[in-house]
mmCIF file of all heavy atoms in Angstrom:
data_model
loop_
_atom_site.group_PDB
_atom_site.id
_atom_site.type_symbol
_atom_site.label_atom_id
_atom_site.label_comp_id
_atom_site.label_asym_id
_atom_site.label_seq_id
_atom_site.Cartn_x
_atom_site.Cartn_y
_atom_site.Cartn_z
ATOM 1 N N ARG E 253 -60.081 20.703 66.785
ATOM 2 C CA ARG E 253 -59.446 20.833 68.195
ATOM 3 C C ARG E 253 -58.560 22.009 68.273
ATOM 4 O O ARG E 253 -58.490 22.672 69.324
ATOM 5 C CB ARG E 253 -58.728 19.579 68.359
ATOM 6 C CG ARG E 253 -58.497 19.295 69.920
ATOM 7 C CD ARG E 253 -57.829 18.019 70.130
ATOM 8 N NE ARG E 253 -56.534 17.977 69.463
ATOM 9 C CZ ARG E 253 -55.808 16.900 69.527
ATOM 10 N NH1 ARG E 253 -56.148 15.789 70.143
ATOM 11 N NH2 ARG E 253 -54.642 16.819 68.875
ATOM 12 N N GLU E 254 -57.938 22.363 67.103
ATOM 13 C CA GLU E 254 -56.952 23.485 67.205
ATOM 14 C C GLU E 254 -57.806 24.812 67.056
ATOM 15 O O GLU E 254 -57.177 25.885 67.116
ATOM 16 C CB GLU E 254 -55.991 23.417 65.966
ATOM 17 C CG GLU E 254 -55.012 22.329 66.133
ATOM 18 C CD GLU E 254 -54.062 22.663 67.287
ATOM 19 O OE1 GLU E 254 -53.570 23.856 67.334
ATOM 20 O OE2 GLU E 254 -53.657 21.855 68.110
ATOM 21 N N GLY E 255 -59.083 24.724 66.855
ATOM 22 C CA GLY E 255 -59.787 25.958 66.730
ATOM 23 C C GLY E 255 -59.650 26.666 65.370
ATOM 24 O O GLY E 255 -59.784 27.878 65.269
ATOM 25 N N LEU E 256 -59.085 25.964 64.313
ATOM 26 C CA LEU E 256 -58.848 26.563 63.070
ATOM 27 C C LEU E 256 -60.125 26.754 62.227
ATOM 28 O O LEU E 256 -60.142 27.482 61.269
ATOM 29 C CB LEU E 256 -57.827 25.700 62.290
ATOM 30 C CG LEU E 256 -56.428 25.551 62.958
ATOM 31 C CD1 LEU E 256 -55.559 24.622 62.171
ATOM 32 C CD2 LEU E 256 -55.738 26.881 63.125
ATOM 33 N N VAL E 257 -61.125 26.009 62.517
ATOM 34 C CA VAL E 257 -62.446 26.139 61.883
ATOM 35 C C VAL E 257 -63.545 26.259 62.877
ATOM 36 O O VAL E 257 -63.356 26.014 64.076
ATOM 37 C CB VAL E 257 -62.672 24.822 60.960
ATOM 38 C CG1 VAL E 257 -61.620 24.655 59.884
ATOM 39 C CG2 VAL E 257 -62.692 23.686 61.890
ATOM 40 N N PRO E 258 -64.711 26.664 62.413
ATOM 41 C CA PRO E 258 -65.848 26.914 63.331
ATOM 42 C C PRO E 258 -66.212 25.562 64.140
ATOM 43 O O PRO E 258 -66.113 24.502 63.545
ATOM 44 C CB PRO E 258 -67.068 27.261 62.465
ATOM 45 C CG PRO E 258 -66.427 27.734 61.192
ATOM 46 C CD PRO E 258 -65.083 27.091 61.058
ATOM 47 N N ARG E 259 -66.474 25.698 65.416
ATOM 48 C CA ARG E 259 -66.713 24.545 66.175
ATOM 49 C C ARG E 259 -67.839 23.649 65.749
ATOM 50 O O ARG E 259 -67.856 22.474 65.896
ATOM 51 C CB ARG E 259 -66.914 24.893 67.674
ATOM 52 C CG ARG E 259 -65.604 25.348 68.351
ATOM 53 C CD ARG E 259 -65.809 25.473 69.839
ATOM 54 N NE ARG E 259 -66.099 24.189 70.508
ATOM 55 C CZ ARG E 259 -65.137 23.254 70.816
ATOM 56 N NH1 ARG E 259 -63.860 23.579 70.470
ATOM 57 N NH2 ARG E 259 -65.471 22.178 71.334
ATOM 58 N N TRP E 260 -68.891 24.337 65.087
ATOM 59 C CA TRP E 260 -70.081 23.568 64.729
ATOM 60 C C TRP E 260 -69.723 22.546 63.588
ATOM 61 O O TRP E 260 -70.513 21.654 63.310
ATOM 62 C CB TRP E 260 -71.212 24.439 64.246
ATOM 63 C CG TRP E 260 -70.905 25.422 63.145
ATOM 64 C CD1 TRP E 260 -70.487 26.688 63.254
ATOM 65 C CD2 TRP E 260 -70.924 25.068 61.735
ATOM 66 N NE1 TRP E 260 -70.257 27.273 62.017
ATOM 67 C CE2 TRP E 260 -70.495 26.341 61.019
ATOM 68 C CE3 TRP E 260 -71.190 24.025 60.959
ATOM 69 C CZ2 TRP E 260 -70.448 26.365 59.648
ATOM 70 C CZ3 TRP E 260 -71.124 24.021 59.626
ATOM 71 C CH2 TRP E 260 -70.666 25.258 58.944
ATOM 72 N N THR E 261 -68.572 22.653 63.010
ATOM 73 C CA THR E 261 -68.242 21.743 61.992
ATOM 74 C C THR E 261 -68.024 20.327 62.512
ATOM 75 O O THR E 261 -68.030 19.303 61.764
ATOM 76 C CB THR E 261 -66.970 22.092 61.180
ATOM 77 O OG1 THR E 261 -65.973 22.436 62.141
ATOM 78 C CG2 THR E 261 -67.209 23.279 60.210
ATOM 79 N N ARG E 262 -67.853 20.224 63.848
ATOM 80 C CA ARG E 262 -67.661 18.916 64.534
ATOM 81 C C ARG E 262 -68.926 18.042 64.260
ATOM 82 O O ARG E 262 -68.841 16.831 64.122
ATOM 83 C CB ARG E 262 -67.334 19.062 65.982
ATOM 84 C CG ARG E 262 -68.406 19.670 66.744
ATOM 85 C CD ARG E 262 -68.041 19.912 68.125
ATOM 86 N NE ARG E 262 -68.927 20.808 68.902
ATOM 87 C CZ ARG E 262 -68.820 21.019 70.170
ATOM 88 N NH1 ARG E 262 -67.913 20.514 70.954
ATOM 89 N NH2 ARG E 262 -69.690 21.876 70.700
ATOM 90 N N TRP E 263 -70.088 18.704 64.155
ATOM 91 C CA TRP E 263 -71.307 17.918 63.929
ATOM 92 C C TRP E 263 -71.327 17.392 62.560
ATOM 93 O O TRP E 263 -71.717 16.175 62.298
ATOM 94 C CB TRP E 263 -72.564 18.787 64.175
ATOM 95 C CG TRP E 263 -72.611 19.245 65.596
ATOM 96 C CD1 TRP E 263 -72.534 20.521 66.025
ATOM 97 C CD2 TRP E 263 -72.831 18.455 66.714
ATOM 98 N NE1 TRP E 263 -72.606 20.603 67.395
ATOM 99 C CE2 TRP E 263 -72.845 19.271 67.829
ATOM 100 C CE3 TRP E 263 -72.979 17.055 66.933
ATOM 101 C CZ2 TRP E 263 -72.915 18.836 69.175
ATOM 102 C CZ3 TRP E 263 -73.159 16.590 68.260
ATOM 103 C CH2 TRP E 263 -73.101 17.446 69.388
ATOM 104 N N LEU E 264 -70.798 18.087 61.599
ATOM 105 C CA LEU E 264 -70.652 17.596 60.244
ATOM 106 C C LEU E 264 -69.663 16.481 60.153
ATOM 107 O O LEU E 264 -69.899 15.469 59.497
ATOM 108 C CB LEU E 264 -70.232 18.840 59.309
ATOM 109 C CG LEU E 264 -70.405 18.478 57.835
ATOM 110 C CD1 LEU E 264 -71.701 18.064 57.413
ATOM 111 C CD2 LEU E 264 -69.975 19.795 57.068
ATOM 112 N N ALA E 265 -68.614 16.636 60.975
ATOM 113 C CA ALA E 265 -67.533 15.522 60.944
ATOM 114 C C ALA E 265 -68.123 14.356 61.516
ATOM 115 O O ALA E 265 -67.934 13.178 61.069
ATOM 116 C CB ALA E 265 -66.271 16.123 61.759
#
Side-chain angles (χ1 to χ4, degrees):
Chain E
R253 202 176 57 180
E254 288 290 316
L256 299 176
V257 293
R259 285 191 67 79
W260 58 264
T261 50
R262 61 186 167 171
W263 297 112
L264 191 56

